[in-house]
Amino acid sequence: MSRFWSPLVHKLTPYVPGEQPKMTDLIKLNTNESPYGPSPRVLEAIQAADNDTLRLYPDPEALALRTALGARVGLGPEYVFVGNGSDEVLAHAFQAFFAHGAPLLFADVTYSFYHVYCGLYSLPFRTVPLTDDMQVNIADYAGPCSGVVVANPNAPTGIALSLAEVRKLLELQPDRVVLIDEAYVDFGAESAVSLIKEYPNLLVVQTFSKSRALAGLRVGFAFGQPELIEGLVRIKDSFNSYPLDRLAQVGATAAVEDEAWFASSVQKVIASRTALANGLQKLGFDVLPSKANFVYTRHPNRNAAELATQLRERAIIVRHLRGERTAAWLRITVGTDQQCESLLSTLRDILCSNSL
């Protein structure tokens, strides 16, 4: 602890990101990165922009990117906000919309950064327990609150709400912002973006890090009615007017425009996810129904932390989250078919050796 820290810093419990190890010959299935590279058009656009113009500030409004994102879903750029990764977009939303005194509501098992934002901005919150089968029960989100945040599909479970359930949630809290965090939506869930024009309290946050394989570029975005977007812009411009550099803007715009690559990459991940889930079940694992680029799984007769350690000893890294309701589970990113088969083969060997 430093004597120079403010009282707030002393109280913070920062988010712990997934490990980025320096090991070689590693099968890395712990941070939900894409197993495939970004669109070739992205690399071409970035290389073309790597020139003397880097001495100039980027467009603070990122208009070309916002226009491309909006056009893809039938919205104008005034309905789109962009930031340095969806984490920054979420942070701005927490600060812009949830300081109403009443507690913010989000699930007890979900993206752990939500707790961190509440600590950083001194926001009261209440976690809403998932059901016994790890589902979000919309009826549990009724009553006074400062807003609602739901990851859909949820992380780390991968379970998704239907569009009808999201609509019910919006109507349950018409006077508060309902933020739907859709980091993994492209892998089989229903996006709530189609409801934007109907519900002024809806904010949908997405990212380029997962389905568009641009985790290293750090680009996130939100859709909402212009009133909400203006609130986010006011926070951004009071913090950092230039969150996206020139290379990020042109690269992300190119990614949006390459729909064929995007669709092909997503379908490969979905197919691999199905094969991985089936393989785990054949080994005796319980697997939750995932609509994300990962699976959430447990073995009824094996300790999850020990399995994660044994996999790591064999150069395969998965995510184990310690917690009352998560300690028995492993979150496994969907890799290439070859990586998934290596994982299954290694687990098979571990289970056999443990049973001797």
Side-chain angles (χ1 to χ4, degrees):
M1 296 292 185
S2 172
R3 62 191 177 95
F4 299 109
W5 291 358
S6 71
L8 173 63
V9 175
H10 280 285
K11 294 188 296 183
L12 290 178
T13 303
Y15 175 75
V16 179
E19 180 186 6
Q20 297 289 347
K22 302 296 190 292
M23 301 165 59
T24 58
D25 298 323
L26 178 73
I27 296 179
K28 187 173 179 295
L29 304 176
N30 66 321
T31 49
N32 301 337
E33 294 146 323
S34 172
Y36 308 107
S39 161
R41 290 171 60 174
V42 171
L43 304 180
E44 292 169 4
I46 291 174
Q47 289 168 356
D50 184 10
N51 54 45
D52 181 65
T53 60
L54 291 180
R55 65 186 173 82
L56 304 174
Y57 283 108
D59 176 9
E61 297 183 354
L63 183 58
L65 175 56
R66 289 169 47 232
T67 299
L69 284 166
R72 185 173 181 268
V73 295
L75 297 172
E78 68 273 17
Y79 287 84
V80 187
F81 177 84
V82 295
N84 192 336
S86 62
D87 287 337
E88 181 180 81
V89 177
L90 290 167
H92 288 346
F94 272 59
Q95 195 169 28
F97 306 126
F98 300 139
H100 297 293
L104 176 64
L105 306 182
F106 51 84
D108 64 334
V109 178
T110 192
Y111 188 30
S112 59
F113 227 140
Y114 303 157
H115 293 83
V116 176
Y117 299 137
C118 288
L120 179 60
Y121 299 127
S122 300
L123 301 175
F125 67 92
R126 177 168 64 86
T127 57
V128 181
L130 298 180
T131 62
D132 290 342
D133 56 353
M134 293 291 190
Q135 303 270 359
V136 170
N137 181 21
I138 297 300
D140 293 339
Y141 290 81
C145 66
S146 66
V148 177
V149 178
V150 174
N152 190 43
N154 194 17
T157 68
I159 298 176
L161 294 171
S162 68
L163 197 59
E165 289 173 301
V166 173
R167 183 187 292 273
K168 180 180 176 181
L169 178 59
L170 289 161
E171 294 175 351
L172 200 62
Q173 294 288 356
D175 299 317
R176 293 296 185 224
V177 169
V178 174
L179 190 160
I180 307 298
D181 183 355
E182 294 187 345
Y184 302 98
V185 73
D186 294 322
F187 298 104
E190 295 179 281
S191 175
V193 171
S194 62
L195 304 178
I196 290 290
K197 288 190 174 181
E198 188 176 351
Y199 292 95
N201 62 323
L202 172 61
L203 188 73
V204 176
V205 177
Q206 296 185 8
T207 180
F208 282 80
S209 295
K210 313 302 181 183
S211 56
R212 296 191 184 271
L214 289 173
L217 210 57
R218 310 310 303 131
V219 182
F221 54 102
F223 296 108
Q225 291 199 13
E227 178 185 3
L228 295 185
I229 299 304
E230 182 181 353
L232 292 173
V233 171
R234 289 173 69 88
I235 294 292
K236 173 185 80 75
D237 287 345
S238 300
F239 174 71
N240 177 11
S241 296
Y242 302 98
L244 290 186
D245 61 49
R246 285 176 169 268
L247 302 184
Q249 290 189 34
V250 299
T253 302
V256 176
E257 293 171 347
D258 195 347
E259 190 69 26
W261 176 91
F262 164 75
S264 173
S265 178
V266 165
Q267 287 305 312
K268 286 191 288 187
V269 171
I270 291 173
S272 298
R273 181 185 68 205
T274 299
L276 175 59
N278 290 339
L280 288 167
Q281 289 170 334
K282 290 178 181 177
L283 293 176
F285 285 84
D286 300 322
V287 183
L288 295 185
S290 176
K291 294 294 185 181
N293 69 337
F294 58 83
V295 296
Y296 205 46
T297 185
R298 65 181 177 185
H299 196 287
N301 302 319
R302 295 290 187 270
N303 180 280
E306 292 178 2
L307 283 176
T309 298
Q310 291 172 311
L311 285 170
R312 184 185 180 85
E313 291 169 351
R314 293 160 174 82
I316 300 176
I317 298 184
V318 299
R319 193 80 188 266
H320 177 249
L321 302 171
R322 300 184 184 278
E324 183 178 350
R325 300 192 68 186
T326 59
W329 297 83
L330 296 174
R331 194 195 69 189
I332 303 175
T333 302
V334 176
T336 63
D337 287 341
Q338 182 179 1
Q339 289 173 328
C340 291
E341 183 51 47
S342 294
L343 168 73
L344 292 171
S345 177
T346 303
L347 281 173
R348 189 178 299 111
D349 291 343
I350 291 172
L351 294 175
C352 289
S353 63
N354 287 353
S355 64
L356 296 178

